[in-house]
Amino acid sequence: MFVDLPRRRKSHLRWATPLLATLMVASLIWISLLPDDAAWRATLLRWGTLSGSVTEWRAALHDGRLMTLVSALFIHLGPIHLVGNLLFLFIFGLPAERSLGPWRFLLLFLAGGALANLAAALLMGTPARAIIGASGGVSAVIGAYLALFPRARLGVVVPLGLWLEFIKVPAALLIGLWAALQLAFTFVGPSFGAVAWWAHLAGFVVGFVYALVLKPMLARKLRGG
C-alpha cells in the first residue's frame, strides 16, 4: 500500500515520525535484552497501562501510573507487533506531520494515544491486564489523516492471477472499513483481552476531532493569511 501525497508549496523537515519510530525500535531492543521472562513481565506491568476501574484510576493520580498511558505506546510484544504499527505510522504519519507540523503531530500521537489507552483501561472487562503498543497513537494519526485529506486516494496492490495490479481507492473508504472492523471486533472479535480494540476506536475519534479543529488554522497558514 502507498499514499498519494498532496503537494504543498514548502517542504519542512519531518522529524517527529522518525523519532517516534526510533524510540519504539529502541524499546523493543531494550526489552529483548532483559535477562528472563520474570524481568519481561515486570517491565510490562511497570510501563504498560493496566486495566482497571474508574476508582483505581483516580488513585493513579497519586502513584505515578498516569505516565504509563504514554510509556505503553512504545512497548511491543515482538517484531511483528512493532512492524505492523510502524507500517501504518509511516503511511499515514508522514503526510499528517507535513500538514500539522512536527510539534502538533507529536501532541496528536502522544495525547491521542494516552487517551486511547485510558479508554481501553476503563472499558476492558478484565482488570490488571497490561495494555501495550502504539496502536492507540497510530489510530489517532489515521483519524487525523482522514480529517486532513478526506479526498485522498490510497494505492493498493491487488493480485490478479499471476499479476499484481495497482489501483487507487478513496482513503475514506478504506479507513471507514478499518474503523468499522474495530467497532465490530470490540464486541464480537477475537479475544478482546488480547487486543485493546477500544484503544483503536478512541484514538481514531480523538485524532479526527483534533485535526478537524486545527484544519481551518492550517488552511489559513497555507494561504499565507
Side-chain angles (χ1 to χ4, degrees):
M1 180 185 291
F2 63 93
V3 181
D4 191 12
L5 300 178
R7 295 185 179 273
R8 288 190 61 183
R9 291 178 297 176
K10 290 184 179 181
S11 178
H12 299 285
L13 178 64
R14 285 165 283 177
W15 52 264
T17 303
L19 174 62
L20 292 170
T22 300
L23 291 174
M24 292 177 203
V25 173
S27 296
L28 182 62
I29 294 173
W30 167 56
I31 290 174
S32 68
L33 296 176
L34 292 174
D36 50 40
D37 289 344
W40 180 80
R41 286 192 294 270
T43 299
L44 261 59
L45 292 175
R46 173 61 184 88
W47 299 107
T49 299
L50 294 183
S51 59
S53 66
V54 174
T55 302
E56 290 170 327
W57 271 94
R58 284 175 183 164
L61 294 172
H62 307 287
D63 62 14
R65 280 175 53 203
L66 284 179
M67 286 301 299
T68 65
L69 295 174
V70 174
S71 62
L73 296 170
F74 299 95
I75 299 176
H76 293 81
L77 287 176
I80 295 176
H81 187 200
L82 174 62
V83 168
N85 279 326
L86 287 181
L87 177 63
F88 282 93
L89 177 64
F90 278 106
I91 288 174
F92 297 102
L94 290 174
E97 181 183 351
R98 186 173 65 180
S99 181
L100 293 169
W103 292 107
R104 282 186 288 267
F105 180 80
L106 271 181
L107 179 62
L108 163 69
F109 181 88
L110 296 176
L115 290 172
N117 284 341
L118 179 60
L122 294 175
L123 295 170
M124 183 177 286
T126 308
R129 295 293 297 270
I131 300 166
I132 60 172
S135 56
V138 171
S139 297
V141 171
I142 295 174
Y145 179 92
L146 180 61
L148 292 168
F149 311 115
R151 296 183 181 85
R153 301 175 74 84
L154 300 179
V156 180
V157 179
V158 179
L160 297 176
L162 298 177
W163 306 96
L164 297 177
E165 184 72 22
F166 286 93
I167 62 173
K168 287 189 175 182
V169 180
L173 175 61
L174 292 180
I175 294 174
L177 290 174
W178 171 85
L181 285 175
Q182 310 313 300
L183 180 61
F185 288 161
T186 298
F187 299 102
V188 298
S191 186
F192 173 76
V195 180
W197 302 109
W198 276 114
H200 300 181
L201 287 173
F204 177 78
V205 172
V206 170
F208 185 83
V209 172
Y210 176 85
L212 209 59
V213 170
L214 290 179
K215 198 172 180 180
M217 181 204 60
L218 297 172
R220 288 194 300 270
K221 286 184 65 176
L222 186 61
R223 293 193 301 266

